[in-house]
Amino acid sequence: MDADATFTTFDGPTRRLTAPLADTLTLLHAGPRAGLLTFDDRTGRSVDFDLSGTLDEVLARHLPPEPRSGPGRPKLGVVSREVSLLPRHWEWLERQRGGASAALRRLIDEARKADPDGERRAQAQAATDRFLGAVGGDLPGFEAATRALYAGQRAAFEAALAAWPPDVRTHALYLAAPALDAQ
């Protein structure tokens, strides 16, 4: 998990906390958890944590390890996954400087640099959409809010959320801000 990430915990429609992971885990571990929903603010996904054991054990299990200093090669965070391509694509990748993996990393980095606002807007839209679906799918104006979110229409988005519980509305606006301000 990213050390800078924030998480938001709701008790029904009431926001209990928006904080870094350590503070969120402390809150969740400390008290009754029935009815609490916690969301990763980067993705809008609901997250569940293994809260068994002492608080120190919970923190050790979920917090990222401290960066190692000293001799040796640093961990780069490389993750292996499968990619399916046509033979002509593999042939092209294999001819590139550094091989297929290096070429894919360069292509991804170039694409991310080409439209950083578009990527930021798309991530905010996806996170907000997931959050809206999880907490507001049955609330009035849900579909209108979703349409306004993807159209980048701040006024229409705010109007669709007007009847929603204040904490849910405030958090939805917080998550959607990069998508609505970029338009």
Side-chain angles (χ1 to χ4, degrees), residues 104-136:
L104 286 171
R105 287 191 296 271
R106 280 193 306 276
L107 288 169
I108 291 167
D109 288 342
E110 288 172 16
R112 291 179 70 190
K113 289 177 189 173
D115 187 13
D117 289 337
E119 182 177 341
R120 192 174 58 106
R121 183 174 46 254
Q123 288 173 346
Q125 287 171 333
T128 306
D129 187 31
R130 287 184 197 106
F131 174 74
L132 292 176
V135 301

Side-chain angles (χ1 to χ4, degrees), residues 42-54:
R42 292 168 304 167
T43 64
R45 287 187 170 94
S46 175
V47 291
D48 290 318
F49 299 104
D50 177 359
L51 300 170
S52 61
T54 67

Side-chain angles (χ1 to χ4, degrees), residues 2 15 17-18 25 44 67 78 81 85 89 92 106 120 127-128 152-153 161 169 175 177 179:
D2 183 359
R15 182 172 52 179
L17 178 73
T18 296
L25 292 169
V78 174
R81 297 214 177 127
L85 299 172
H89 298 135
W92 182 86
R106 280 193 306 276
R120 192 174 58 106
T128 306
Q153 299 169 338
L161 299 179
R169 180 176 60 244
L175 292 176

Side-chain angles (χ1 to χ4, degrees), residues 34-93:
L36 295 183
L37 275 177
T38 301
F39 295 90
D40 181 334
D41 292 337
R42 292 168 304 167
T43 64
R45 287 187 170 94
S46 175
V47 291
D48 290 318
F49 299 104
D50 177 359
L51 300 170
S52 61
T54 67
L55 178 58
D56 288 338
E57 291 170 339
V58 171
L59 293 173
R61 190 169 32 251
H62 294 291
L63 291 178
E66 290 294 321
R68 193 181 77 158
S69 62
R73 184 174 178 183
K75 290 188 177 182
L76 299 176
V78 174
V79 177
S80 295
R81 297 214 177 127
E82 183 177 329
V83 176
S84 298
L85 299 172
L86 295 172
R88 68 177 182 269
H89 298 135
W90 282 116
E91 290 168 7
W92 182 86
L93 282 170

Side-chain angles (χ1 to χ4, degrees), residues 136-149:
D138 294 334
L139 294 174
F142 168 75
E143 290 179 7
T146 304
R147 283 192 298 274
L149 170 67

